[in-house]
Amino acid sequence: MNNLQPTEELYKAMGIDKDVYEFGEAIIRDLEERFKSIDENAEYNQLKVIKAMQEAKVSEACLLGTTGYGYNDLGRDTLELVYANLFHCEDALVRPQITCGTHALALALMSNLRPGDELLSPVGKPYDTLEEVIGIRPSKGSLAEYGITYSQVDLLENGDFDYEGIKNAINERTKLVTIQRSKGYQTRKTLSVERIGELISFIKKIKPDVICMVDNCYGEFVQRIEPTDVGADMIVGSLIKNPGGGLAPIGGYIAGKKECVENAAYRLTSPGLGKEVGASLGVTSSFYQGLFLAPTVTASALKSAIFAANIYEKLGFFVAPNATEERFDIIQAITFNKEEGVIAFCKGIQAGAPVDSFVTPEPWDMPGYDSQVIMAAGAFVSGSSIELSADGPIKPPYNVYFQGGLTWQHGKYGILKTLQEMKNSGLIRL
Ligand SMILES: *Cc1c(COP(=O)(O)O)cnc(C)c1O
């Protein structure tokens, strides 16, 4: 008896046909080397996390929370030291009071910019939700309302930095430069940490005192170094993405230069109070445990993304990143060219989820979008996109954006479910 048999049986019982299963197995056989190098990366980053925790002397008492004002919250203060150690920087703010990634980015910007300053994005248009923070789309409380101007230099057609344009855009009012690591929902490529480093060096040569901030969402632990290792003054991210490891139920972080982090703390709580207040309630232990798991969870998400890219590229669909290229974030885009493909893919992800697998996702008119959007997520933490999730706007070219997977085994099953859905809808033939 070989022990694959029962697994195959169970897949069958869970709605995966034999030909779908075998299509997946053939792909996986060719990914062995790739997965090995991802595991080696995870090993390195796991050690990095443990080292940061040991150096901060994390103790059992750190896992308890505080209430009320939260003065002398040992767990919170130590965790912030862990983040500072991990990212090789001076200080960090890691709080459940930071509600999401957009909030963390808004906080970092609003606390470090003053009226009359200018913000520069040298990598093109920032993430959608930041348009309202900056005031590119008019919004209450935007930076624009406070007299902070914005300038943007797009990437060149071939994806390179427009060094000439960036040089011309930097002026005496340029105070902060925002660099988005992940492509988000754009077609450009995600930036490697090395490329971010080159950009920062160039900018600092022109204006040494400018603050270089990196939107680190979806990038943590994908590589062995982080933007703070190559000169970033501040990195910002969400705890319901990579660094929360799927366990953090809420939260965001800002890590970097002491002054930048302090500014953010005074803005988050109040001038005069800063980091001293902010009870951690009951979430501290999940922040620690989530960070501890984050390197292997990120590795699972990467394997899932690579598996999806290889499956759908083989079936003739355009995938970005492609099946073989190096990855710098956990997002996978697949172009289906028709609505039915986007819907079938999302249905598959939903049907493969541990939570809400019995519901059927439908396109809906989501506020803030110019087309209908379909989303699939059967997550333990609502909206968590380090868990297996997919979404797509119902408009040409009918892209699906897929990310996450707390375990590779779940990622694999979810993607096989999408393949099965596509097959059932007559959209592919294996
Ligand atoms: C997710 C994300 C954000 C915003 O985070 P939310 O938690 O959704 O508010 C910002 N930038 C990038 C690149 C992201 O991926």
Side-chain angles (χ1 to χ4, degrees):
M1 283 266 298
N2 88 46
N3 63 2
L4 204 80
Q5 209 58 29
T7 308
E8 222 180 310
E9 268 314 286
L10 197 48
Y11 270 118
K12 190 163 174 242
M14 291 171 75
I16 303 294
D17 292 349
K18 192 175 168 60
D19 57 348
V20 170
Y21 174 76
E22 280 171 357
F23 192 85
E25 289 307 295
I27 298 274
I28 289 169
R29 276 195 288 277
D30 291 337
L31 292 176
E32 216 169 275
E33 278 303 305
R34 229 59 214 267
F35 281 16
K36 187 160 163 271
S37 94
I38 290 172
D39 286 335
E40 284 166 4
N41 231 28
E43 181 179 0
Y44 183 90
N45 285 324
Q46 181 73 78
L47 291 174
K48 244 173 87 174
V49 170
I50 294 171
K51 184 164 180 278
M53 289 189 179
Q54 290 179 345
E55 284 171 359
K57 291 204 160 24
V58 175
S59 64
E60 192 179 352
C62 292
L63 305 177
L64 304 171
T66 55
T67 57
Y69 293 106
Y71 290 123
N72 303 310
D73 187 320
L74 178 71
R76 177 197 68 204
D77 295 347
T78 306
L79 181 68
E80 292 180 338
L81 180 58
V82 169
Y83 268 70
N85 290 345
L86 175 67
F87 292 135
H88 309 126
C89 56
E90 293 171 4
D91 204 356
L93 191 65
V94 187
R95 304 279 169 134
Q97 287 83 11
I98 301 177
T99 57
C100 61
T102 303
H103 185 191
L105 289 157
L107 179 63
L109 292 171
M110 291 174 168
S111 59
N112 281 286
L113 288 160
R114 294 290 179 273
D117 288 342
E118 185 158 282
L119 168 69
L120 168 67
S121 171
V123 295
K125 192 179 92 64
Y127 199 72
D128 269 17
T129 55
L130 282 193
E131 292 187 3
E132 282 168 285
V133 171
I134 295 167
I136 301 170
R137 272 185 285 145
S139 175
K140 275 197 198 313
S142 69
L143 293 173
E145 273 198 354
Y146 286 89
I148 295 157
T149 56
Y150 171 69
S151 120
Q152 177 177 312
V153 178
D154 291 337
L155 296 172
L156 297 174
E157 205 125 318
N158 64 3
D160 286 352
F161 300 124
D162 177 3
Y163 284 118
E164 194 57 35
I166 294 168
K167 192 170 162 208
N168 293 334
I170 296 174
N171 60 56
E172 68 291 345
R173 293 197 301 111
T174 309
K175 172 75 177 295
L176 197 153
V177 172
T178 179
I179 301 166
Q180 187 178 307
R181 179 170 171 181
S182 168
K183 66 180 175 301
Y185 297 140
Q186 292 175 61
T187 47
R188 74 154 164 98
K189 288 202 190 303
T190 288
L191 302 174
S192 68
V193 173
E194 290 80 2
R195 282 192 73 201
I196 290 172
E198 286 161 24
L199 179 58
I200 292 174
S201 311
F202 177 79
I203 291 165
K204 294 266 182 182
K205 245 177 240 148
I206 299 168
K207 192 165 187 183
D209 60 345
V210 77
I211 300 168
C212 290
M213 177 185 100
V214 175
D215 174 351
N216 213 23
C217 284
Y218 287 132
E220 298 93 347
F221 303 118
V222 173
Q223 294 184 258
R224 295 183 183 202
I225 52 171
E226 299 289 340
T228 36
D229 294 313
V230 295
D233 299 296
M234 213 178 3
I235 55 174
V236 182
S238 162
L239 296 195
I240 62 169
K241 294 179 180 170
N242 309 18
L247 294 188
I250 190 171
Y253 77 89
I254 298 172
K257 290 262 164 69
K258 190 162 192 59
E259 197 188 339
C260 295
V261 173
E262 245 168 22
N263 281 336
Y266 287 125
R267 173 79 193 219
L268 175 66
T269 64
S270 156
L273 300 181
K275 293 180 82 182
E276 304 294 321
V277 296
S280 56
L281 305 172
V283 301
T284 318
S285 68
S286 62
F287 282 14
Y288 278 104
Q289 215 173 344
L291 181 65
F292 177 76
L293 293 179
T296 48
V297 168
T298 303
S300 298
L302 274 172
K303 289 177 184 175
S304 305
I306 290 169
F307 182 52
N310 278 271
I311 286 211
Y312 282 97
E313 190 175 272
K314 190 164 181 189
L315 290 168
F317 295 96
F318 177 78
V319 296
N322 73 27
T324 52
E325 75 190 284
E326 200 180 348
R327 299 200 168 228
F328 304 114
D329 68 12
I330 63 168
I331 301 179
Q332 181 63 49
I334 306 166
T335 304
F336 285 108
N337 292 315
K338 52 175 140 172
E339 178 172 345
E340 293 78 8
V342 175
I343 294 173
F345 187 93
C346 289
K347 278 186 177 168
I349 293 294
Q350 190 74 39
V355 179
D356 286 337
S357 62
F358 50 86
V359 305
T360 307
E362 306 250 4
W364 64 297
D365 295 301
M366 217 179 130
Y369 288 82
D370 56 4
S371 66
Q372 288 202 316
V373 178
I374 184 167
M375 295 191 164
F380 296 107
V381 171
S382 181
S384 166
S385 49
I386 187 63
E387 298 188 49
L388 200 67
S389 49
D391 48 62
I394 303 297
K395 64 177 180 189
Y398 299 100
N399 280 332
V400 141
Y401 298 91
F402 158 82
Q403 66 271 309
L406 295 186
T407 68
W408 148 240
Q409 287 78 4
H410 176 219
K412 174 181 170 181
Y413 173 59
I415 294 154
L416 290 178
K417 281 298 252 187
T418 68
L419 203 52
Q420 183 73 50
E421 245 347 292
M422 300 282 292
K423 182 190 156 188
N424 294 352
S425 313
L427 295 164
I428 53 162
R429 222 170 300 137
L430 297 177

